[in-house]
Amino acid sequence: MKIVDGMRWGETELLKKEIENARFDADLLLAEVLKVTRDRLYLDWDRNLSEQENEQFRAFIQRRASNVPLQYILKRQEFMGLSFYVDERVLIPRADSEILVEKWLDIVRQENDIGQDRLIKVADLCTGSGALAISIAHYYPVAEVVGIDLSLDALEVARQNAERLGAIVQWRQGDFVDSIRGECWDYIITNPPYVSTEDYRQCAPEIFHEPAMAFLGGSDGLDFYRRLAEEIRPLLKPQGKVLMEIGWDQAEAVCSLFHLKGFKTQVFPDLAGRDRVILAR
């Protein structure tokens, strides 16, 4: 089978299973097999695949056709310009979450005295692959960053990502804020589980290959925000702040939880104009 035939076959097989972006996914999977960039496929499309390459490509297509996310097959996902290793132990980082890192960087730079970077302490709750914590450590190296997760499997992936990307982050295993009690932080950031039980049942089939604990936020999706609003004040320095990712329709409810505890809030939209990040101070 030639490269061009493989591209067409892969697209056809994925279309049969109603996979979105079938041609794009097929191309990337074949490029992964051949260890080349996607554009190289079109330059060399008359080249014959070896038997081993053909078998591996077919196996990849079969996995994608069964709704395994493309990122888990490729074992990578880009986030904030960095390439993260991902597998079934962690949530796949989404572009929407980049808004949280970008807003954090904006706020910190605005607060710096005479443009000098200052040492600040940052805790990332529900760190997963470490995408938020590592991005912060990468783009603001003087920050003392701690990533926390309940899952030891997720922390193993996060450590691997930090080592490969050269980011200095301390990792702790614990249930939400439990492992940072008794300490005070300049910033606490989190992309917690915020999908309601009913919404989770209606998710795209690819979602069910990701860790359920990374999505499920209780019957209304707000369980972790309730815990945060209730427990966070003693963990913050006097000028400390919380930055949280939220579901597109949760801004009013989450802000209300924090207003009841005396916090002021500000909501930031994602690139599509939907509410995505809340700053509480």
Side-chain angles (χ1 to χ4, degrees):
M1 182 165 62
K2 293 182 178 181
I3 286 178
V4 63
D5 298 324
M7 293 159 66
R8 291 168 179 163
W9 173 81
E11 179 185 18
T12 299
E13 291 300 303
L14 296 183
L15 285 173
K16 288 178 184 177
K17 299 296 183 178
E18 300 182 345
I19 302 296
E20 294 185 7
N21 304 312
R23 182 55 180 266
F24 179 77
D25 285 12
D27 284 4
L28 287 187
L29 292 172
L30 184 53
E32 178 68 15
V33 169
L34 301 178
K35 303 303 179 187
V36 299
T37 57
R38 186 188 181 204
D39 62 318
R40 195 74 214 177
L41 299 177
Y42 292 85
L43 295 173
D44 297 335
W45 69 356
D46 280 335
R47 181 198 138 182
N48 288 312
L49 299 177
S50 69
E51 182 177 346
Q52 182 179 359
E53 290 167 343
N54 184 47
E55 289 179 1
Q56 185 179 7
F57 180 54
R58 288 179 178 274
F60 279 178
I61 290 295
Q62 288 171 3
R63 290 187 68 199
R64 185 68 189 98
S66 63
N67 295 304
V68 175
L70 178 68
Q71 295 90 337
Y72 285 162
I73 304 173
L74 298 177
K75 301 298 183 185
R76 65 178 181 270
Q77 170 67 10
E78 184 173 299
F79 184 85
M80 289 295 297
L82 305 172
S83 181
F84 285 84
Y85 172 87
V86 293
D87 61 27
E88 288 81 353
R89 293 173 289 178
V90 294
L91 181 77
I92 298 167
R94 268 71 167 176
D96 287 341
S97 300
E98 294 182 350
I99 303 298
L100 192 154
V101 178
E102 291 168 357
K103 291 301 176 185
W104 181 87
L105 287 168
D106 288 344
I107 293 166
V108 170
R109 288 165 179 163
Q110 289 170 11
E111 293 179 346
N112 281 346
D113 294 330
I114 61 172
Q116 297 296 314
D117 289 348
R118 60 189 177 91
L119 177 62
I120 51 180
K121 292 183 61 177
V122 184
D124 172 25
L125 306 178
C126 308
T127 195
S129 66
L132 296 179
I134 291 169
S135 296
I136 285 173
H138 177 83
Y139 289 106
Y140 197 90
V142 297
E144 181 181 318
V145 186
V146 175
I148 301 103
D149 206 285
L150 181 61
S151 168
L152 288 173
D153 285 339
L155 289 174
E156 183 178 336
V157 174
R159 287 191 184 96
Q160 178 180 336
N161 278 319
E163 182 177 351
R164 188 171 52 81
L165 293 168
I168 300 175
V169 179
Q170 180 190 140
W171 306 105
R172 298 183 190 177
Q173 192 272 337
D175 182 10
F176 212 42
V177 301
D178 287 354
S179 67
I180 61 170
R181 294 189 192 280
E183 301 174 69
C184 287
W185 302 84
D186 294 287
Y187 293 92
I188 292 177
I189 65 170
T190 184
N191 177 16
Y194 58 69
V195 179
S196 70
T197 305
E198 181 58 32
D199 286 347
Y200 183 72
R201 294 193 188 103
Q202 300 175 31
C203 284
E206 281 84 356
I207 294 295
F208 301 110
H209 289 270
E210 299 183 68
M213 66 181 294
F215 289 101
L216 292 169
S219 60
D220 61 358
L222 300 176
D223 282 2
F224 285 87
Y225 301 109
R226 291 190 183 93
R227 290 182 61 185
L228 202 59
E230 185 68 34
E231 303 176 41
I232 204 69
R233 181 65 79 183
L235 305 179
L236 292 173
K237 293 182 179 180
Q239 301 301 316
K241 301 174 182 64
V242 185
L243 276 163
M244 306 160 273
E245 182 171 333
I246 59 168
W248 65 272
D249 59 348
Q250 294 176 325
E252 183 177 355
V254 174
C255 286
S256 295
L257 291 172
F258 281 82
H259 292 165
L260 288 172
K261 298 299 178 179
F263 285 86
K264 296 179 180 179
T265 60
Q266 186 175 357
V267 182
F268 301 101
D270 58 24
L271 294 178
R274 298 169 297 191
D275 293 338
R276 183 59 58 189
V277 170
I278 291 178
L279 167 67
R281 63 178 87 196

